[in-house]
Amino acid sequence: MALAGALLALSCSLVGAGTAGAAASGQPGTSTTRAAANRVLCYQAHIAGVGWESAYSCGGVMAGTTGLGKAVEALRFITVGMDGLCARAHVSTIGWQTWVCVRDNETLEIGTTGQSLPIEAVEFQTQGGSVAANAHLSGYGWQGWVAGGRITVGTTGANRSIEAIMVTP
């Protein structure tokens, strides 16, 4: 719950900073700036042999590792200003998990812990607006950014675990 409060405070500070500058400059698209500034998406990875990362990453900052061969086994997400988020993971030997949907300020968790099963793909669906993501795959590297209201990153059937992920609203 403390994270939700911190995200809300961050969201409010972004709104103040983002919209004031656009309005003062007289640039068109002020409402777009305001809408983007109101949307916050943070996430945390559970890494094989490590456990949960100590902090959440937000707004396109990498969660997980690269170059260490350590798979992401679970992910947590929390949103502010997105009207919630839905996600599901494709887990090695299990396949696609069921969709998990939450409202803003609620924690969404996908994948597994304590089973040594890597996530191979993640599918997102937003409740309002779009989301963008990029996954770093074992034996491949960064896939490239994908954006939209419903997106998938990673692979299925290729035995490539996600080692790191970047997500932004």
Side-chain angles (χ1 to χ4, degrees):
M1 203 46 120
L3 177 62
L7 283 174
L8 190 54
L10 173 62
S11 176
C12 291
S13 69
L14 288 173
V15 170
T19 59
S25 69
Q27 295 176 353
T30 302
S31 62
T32 303
T33 304
R34 186 175 297 121
N38 283 330
R39 296 167 41 89
V40 179
L41 172 58
C42 295
Y43 41 96
Q44 182 183 35
H46 184 278
I47 303 165
V50 176
W52 287 107
E53 293 179 303
S54 60
Y56 277 75
S57 300
C58 301
V61 173
M62 184 183 83
T65 63
T66 59
L68 301 178
K70 295 188 177 287
V72 171
E73 297 175 337
L75 291 163
R76 288 180 181 150
F77 300 90
I78 190 163
T79 64
V80 173
M82 292 181 60
D83 296 327
L85 179 71
C86 294
R88 66 180 183 156
H90 185 278
V91 178
S92 176
T93 73
I94 293 176
W96 283 109
Q97 293 181 314
T98 59
W99 283 98
V100 178
C101 297
V102 297
R103 294 177 288 196
D104 281 346
N105 300 310
E106 295 177 344
T107 303
L108 182 155
E109 188 172 313
I110 58 173
T112 62
T113 58
Q115 297 182 44
S116 299
L117 296 174
I119 291 177
E120 297 176 336
V122 178
E123 190 169 15
F124 298 97
Q125 185 168 339
T126 61
Q127 302 300 321
S130 64
V131 65
N134 190 357
H136 187 278
L137 308 178
S138 63
Y140 183 82
W142 289 105
Q143 261 190 316
W145 286 95
V146 179
R150 182 171 179 171
I151 63 167
T152 304
V153 294
T155 61
T156 60
N159 198 29
R160 294 191 185 276
S161 60
I162 291 178
E163 297 178 342
I165 194 164
M166 298 183 288
V167 189
T168 188

